[in-house]
Amino acid sequence: MRYFEDLEVGAETYFGSYGVTREEVLEFARKYDPQPFHLSDEEAAKTHFGRIAASGWHTCAMVMGVIARHVVEDEQAGLGSPGIDELRWLKPVYPGDTLHVRGKIVEKRPSNSKPEIGSFRTETTVTNQDDVPVMRFTSIVLIRRRPN
């Protein structure tokens, strides 16, 4: 099990990759972000996207899946997250892209009010198969401290 004490500021992690499919882009858009440029080739062609693009929120969901699977496999003593800061969608994500998710720990703090937990901030960068950044955010993660 990895605890707060095992984390080092500056440490970088490759969380993994995710292949974006047209079917999944359309399914997510139909359910959660039914804007024409996420659903129609013709409508998307009339926009700056040029073709169907994944919703930014879908990109977030795909990235969360990659991170969560890694955290479970790594047996991190995580306790969830109170939020993220500075989320930016930098470039469109298209069906056929492969997303790569990397994070760097930029800060860690023990809790002042709950001595059994700590928190850390990770700058996460998502790139496509051409190593072009498509999304960036800073996450705040709660984690257990090592039991005495």
Side-chain angles (χ1 to χ4, degrees):
M1 185 69 63
R2 290 190 51 178
Y3 294 95
F4 174 82
E5 291 77 9
D6 301 319
L7 304 175
E8 294 182 29
V9 172
E12 297 185 23
T13 301
Y14 178 71
F15 292 104
S17 64
Y18 193 89
V20 182
T21 68
R22 178 180 174 86
E23 295 76 24
E24 191 174 356
V25 167
L26 294 171
E27 180 182 359
F28 186 95
R30 279 191 293 271
K31 287 183 178 180
Y32 305 111
D33 194 355
Q35 298 183 72
F37 47 82
H38 295 317
L39 293 167
S40 162
D41 291 309
E42 295 76 25
E43 293 301 316
K46 298 175 190 175
T47 70
H48 65 286
F49 295 115
R51 57 191 170 112
I52 286 180
S55 165
W57 295 113
H58 184 198
T59 302
C60 289
M62 291 182 279
V63 168
M64 186 64 219
V66 170
I67 292 171
R69 281 187 283 281
H70 181 273
V71 166
V72 169
E73 290 171 9
D74 192 44
E75 296 184 349
Q76 184 173 301
L79 295 169
S81 172
I84 60 170
D85 293 328
E86 295 295 320
L87 170 65
R88 295 290 182 259
W89 294 298
L90 305 170
K91 297 281 184 186
V93 170
Y94 297 107
D97 283 353
T98 299
L99 303 178
H100 296 276
V101 184
R102 294 172 177 82
K104 179 179 180 180
I105 296 175
V106 294
E107 175 185 308
K108 74 179 227 181
R109 292 184 191 172
S111 173
N112 292 328
S113 61
K114 297 179 182 173
E116 70 279 7
I117 69 171
S119 67
F120 64 98
R121 289 181 185 266
T122 300
E123 287 181 355
T124 302
T125 301
V126 182
T127 57
N128 64 18
Q129 65 282 351
D130 299 319
D131 206 31
V132 173
V134 297
M135 188 172 81
R136 187 171 289 127
F137 62 93
T138 301
S139 60
I140 307 155
V141 180
L142 302 177
I143 186 169
R144 291 181 189 95
R145 298 199 64 189
R146 188 177 307 291
N148 290 333

